Amino acid sequence: MNIKLIKEGTISSKKNLTVEFISSKDLKSHKDVELLQKAGFKAEQDTNCFLYGKNNLFCGVEKVSVDNVRSSCSVAIKNIKSTNYKSASFSVNSKNIKAVIEGVVLGGYEYNNYKSSDKKTALKNIYLECEKVEALSKAFEEAIIISEATCFTRDIVNQTPEDLNPPSFAKLAKKLAKDNGLECEVLGEKALRKEKMESMLAVGRASRHDSKLIHLTYKPANAKKIISLVGKGLTYDSGGLSLKPATSMVTMKMDKAGACATLGMIKAVSELKLDVEVHVFIGAVENMIGGNAYKPDDVLVTRSGTTVEVRNTDAEGRLVLADVLDYAQDKVKADYLFDFATLTGACMVALGQYTTGVMGHSSKIKHDISRSATKAGELTGSLPFNEHLRKLLKSSIADISNTASKPYGGAVTAGLFLDKFIKDENKNRWIHFDIAGSAYTESPWDCNVYGGTGAGVRMISEFIKSLEVRV
Ligand code: BES
Ligand code: ZN
Ligand code: ZN
């Protein structure tokens, strides 16, 4: 499907479907109101009405806003794809262009790599008609880059654990580096042992795949800031010896979504050519069972020297991140240190499935993130740390336990566990994003469809864009 920005009035309407957004308020005064009412169309949010005789599609929006247009457009594109129209056109302006592109690209996204036959759709071209092409071309290109980076992230999340394992993840990162002019360094198990990353190594020990630490760098000539992005890359989380129940294990291929998001972010930033240096650190590991599996009762010595009592092998993400965060801080003195992880089911209990949990010490960065997220159309919620919850991580035999002694506030106690591995000088530079709910969906919402959503990519691209101007 091609998307083109063109001057309005340049396509003949005979075989093209013209898409129009309409609110219930404006319906009454529309020239086609009689026909639309005959069809029972009330212009409610996310409802569509085709007037085939006129080659028109009407899309209901409650009131015209960026979020409503993106959502309505996502419904529309699926319906258009099931018709025989070869092209469809949307009228765009500086306010709605991003929402329309995200609706079309992200709402129309399909992952069919595991289907034996290709799904055919007649739709070849999407035309975005505007008054002045030059005035919108930058916004057009930016939205396309960010939407495609989001789809790139979704594609990786959606791959099976058999196809996407730590070594193949490293291969994929190397290809991205080659395509986008990034530096890429991969540490295998021998190098990880040398680095004393025994916590990360323990999690991956029962897997038949070698664990990998992947470090990608985007280094523009005039970097205004440096940001490190750390991703949890559990290519499969069976729970380990604290085995997940069968029904909870399904979908755990998505436990690599944090890592996939960081790849999407560096892809977007490098294609947008932003003047910000970006480092991505991924801990790619598979959590399995076996005679050599790490166990509840083990005590692990992390890279930082902090010892961890393992009480549940299913709380493995924090054990991987403990070592990767420590490594990232030693490798790069960054202005911002962000980690992305499908870390806890508790985050979904706290905020619902659609919202990313945001944790950290800096109110300023949390505030800026919240603004970037809203601008990008992502949902975030702040989960506050407190000293009472921190106490629940005390261990009788080691420096810290990998699980809290009480079941409530699980997303926060996981965040507080990570905090143990953030050096004092970085406390106010660090933000932890729990994307357990937002990274994957089994039913469509907004511009998300079944599978990986690419959560984080749009928000962080927007945040990094804002760093360029906020020198
Ligand atoms: N990967 C899971 C968290 C998760 C659950 C992500 C559901 C997405 C959907 C994580 O490794 C995990 O299993 N966490 C445990 C922690 C517990 C053992 C302290 C959890 O959330 O139950
Ligand atoms: Zn787990
Ligand atoms: Zn996990």
Side-chain angles (χ1 to χ4, degrees):
M1 201 167 60
N2 288 311
I3 306 181
K4 288 185 193 122
L5 184 65
I6 60 166
K7 190 166 166 51
E8 62 191 3
T10 47
I11 38 168
S12 69
S13 63
K14 281 273 160 58
K15 285 185 181 154
N16 178 69
L17 179 73
T18 305
V19 184
E20 199 177 308
F21 296 102
I22 185 162
S23 67
S24 52
K25 202 175 104 242
D26 296 337
L27 183 62
K28 293 173 213 92
S29 53
H30 196 278
K31 63 176 173 28
D32 291 320
V33 62
E34 256 179 56
L35 277 175
L36 289 166
Q37 274 175 348
K38 234 189 229 171
F41 183 62
K42 297 192 189 80
E44 283 161 351
Q45 178 65 39
D46 296 346
T47 61
N48 280 183
C49 183
F50 281 96
L51 294 184
Y52 290 106
K54 294 181 158 234
N55 293 319
N56 263 340
L57 169 63
F58 290 89
C59 306
V61 283
E62 204 173 277
K63 65 180 198 319
V64 181
S65 74
V66 169
D67 290 340
N68 286 349
V69 167
R70 184 179 56 248
S71 179
S72 181
C73 202
S74 305
V75 174
I77 192 72
K78 292 183 195 83
N79 286 330
I80 299 169
K81 279 169 101 174
S82 64
T83 69
N84 285 322
Y85 282 101
K86 289 197 174 75
S87 73
S89 62
F90 296 75
S91 164
V92 295
N93 52 46
S94 62
K95 285 207 182 87
N96 74 4
I97 183 163
K98 196 168 94 166
V100 171
I101 292 174
E102 288 173 352
V104 168
V105 179
L106 301 176
Y109 172 88
E110 285 178 72
Y111 189 76
N112 293 321
N113 282 17
Y114 296 115
K115 298 269 189 198
S116 58
S117 57
D118 281 353
K119 216 171 164 188
K120 295 253 180 311
T121 165
L123 190 66
K124 294 280 172 293
N125 290 306
I126 297 288
Y127 298 112
L128 307 184
E129 295 189 277
C130 66
E131 246 175 60
K132 247 196 180 157
V133 171
E134 308 85 75
L136 289 187
S137 63
K138 186 162 183 265
F140 172 79
E141 271 151 33
E142 260 186 34
I144 294 279
I145 286 174
I146 295 172
S147 299
E148 283 180 353
T150 306
C151 292
F152 171 83
T153 292
R154 290 179 177 184
D155 282 346
I156 324 172
V157 173
N158 291 336
Q159 284 189 46
T160 62
E162 195 55 26
D163 287 348
L164 211 283
N165 49 55
S168 66
F169 208 148
K171 236 185 235 166
L172 189 143
K174 278 187 184 157
K175 181 172 183 309
L176 175 67
K178 194 161 172 242
D179 293 347
N180 284 38
L182 314 172
E183 292 165 31
C184 180
E185 194 189 357
V186 176
L187 274 62
E189 292 196 347
K190 211 171 138 197
L192 293 173
R193 211 154 286 130
K194 228 173 153 184
E195 283 288 341
K196 298 192 161 61
M197 298 177 71
E198 293 296 335
S199 180
M200 171 169 166
L201 281 165
V203 174
R205 209 162 62 209
S207 166
R208 72 182 214 275
H209 304 292
D210 261 14
S211 299
K212 304 279 183 194
L213 188 149
I214 304 160
H215 176 193
L216 289 165
T217 309
Y218 165 67
K219 230 181 213 165
N222 300 306
K224 307 280 194 301
K225 290 277 183 235
I226 304 176
I227 184 165
S228 283
L229 308 169
V230 174
K232 169 176 173 182
L234 262 290
T235 60
Y236 203 68
D237 181 12
S238 69
L241 289 179
S242 313
L243 195 65
K244 283 185 185 294
T247 49
S248 318
M249 208 185 293
V250 186
T251 72
M252 276 304 135
K253 64 171 184 184
M254 59 93 139
D255 215 18
K256 59 186 181 293
C260 301
T262 59
L263 282 190
M265 292 166 197
I266 200 166
K267 175 175 159 68
V269 172
S270 58
E271 288 169 14
L272 293 167
K273 299 188 172 63
L274 299 182
D275 277 339
V276 174
E277 185 172 315
V278 182
H279 292 265
V280 159
F281 295 91
I282 289 170
V285 185
E286 189 184 54
N287 187 19
M288 298 298 281
I289 52 170
N292 59 344
Y294 83 122
K295 308 170 191 71
D297 285 351
D298 276 344
V299 172
L300 308 175
V301 183
T302 61
R303 185 180 185 276
S304 70
T306 299
T307 60
V308 182
E309 178 189 359
V310 178
R311 293 185 68 88
N312 190 319
T313 61
D314 198 11
E316 83 301 332
R318 60 194 78 182
L319 298 174
V320 173
L321 288 175
D323 276 349
V324 181
L325 280 166
D326 189 65
Y327 178 86
Q329 290 171 89
D330 279 351
K331 277 277 150 176
V332 180
K333 297 282 155 251
D335 300 294
Y336 299 92
L337 171 64
F338 293 172
D339 76 76
F340 302 85
T342 46
L343 206 60
T344 64
C347 189
M348 277 184 271
V349 177
L351 294 173
Q353 279 180 64
Y354 313 106
T355 303
T356 295
V358 181
M359 284 155 259
H361 301 286
S362 165
S363 312
K364 162 90 173 78
I365 307 181
K366 282 192 278 187
H367 175 260
D368 291 347
I369 280 292
S370 161
R371 280 183 51 164
S372 300
T374 306
K375 200 163 169 210
E378 287 198 41
L379 298 171
T380 56
S382 175
L383 296 171
F385 286 156
N386 72 64
E387 294 313 307
H388 307 287
L389 285 171
R390 193 194 297 277
K391 284 185 214 143
L392 306 181
L393 290 166
K394 278 198 178 139
S395 161
S396 307
I397 56 166
D399 298 341
I400 191 168
S401 165
N402 84 328
T403 52
S405 53
K406 288 204 176 99
Y408 305 118
V412 177
T413 49
L416 286 166
F417 179 91
L418 298 181
D419 179 48
K420 182 91 177 160
F421 300 89
I422 303 298
K423 297 172 200 286
D424 284 345
E425 64 270 28
N426 293 325
K427 292 283 186 204
N428 276 313
R429 302 166 191 264
W430 168 65
I431 297 288
H432 160 56
F433 295 87
D434 194 331
I435 57 169
S438 54
Y440 197 85
T441 182
E442 291 187 287
S443 44
W445 62 277
D446 191 358
C447 57
N448 301 302
V449 298
Y450 188 100
T453 62
V457 177
R458 285 184 290 148
M459 162 176 64
I460 297 302
S461 301
E462 197 61 57
F463 178 81
I464 297 179
K465 241 169 65 184
S466 77
L467 293 181
E468 259 200 325
V469 278
R470 242 191 308 144
V471 185

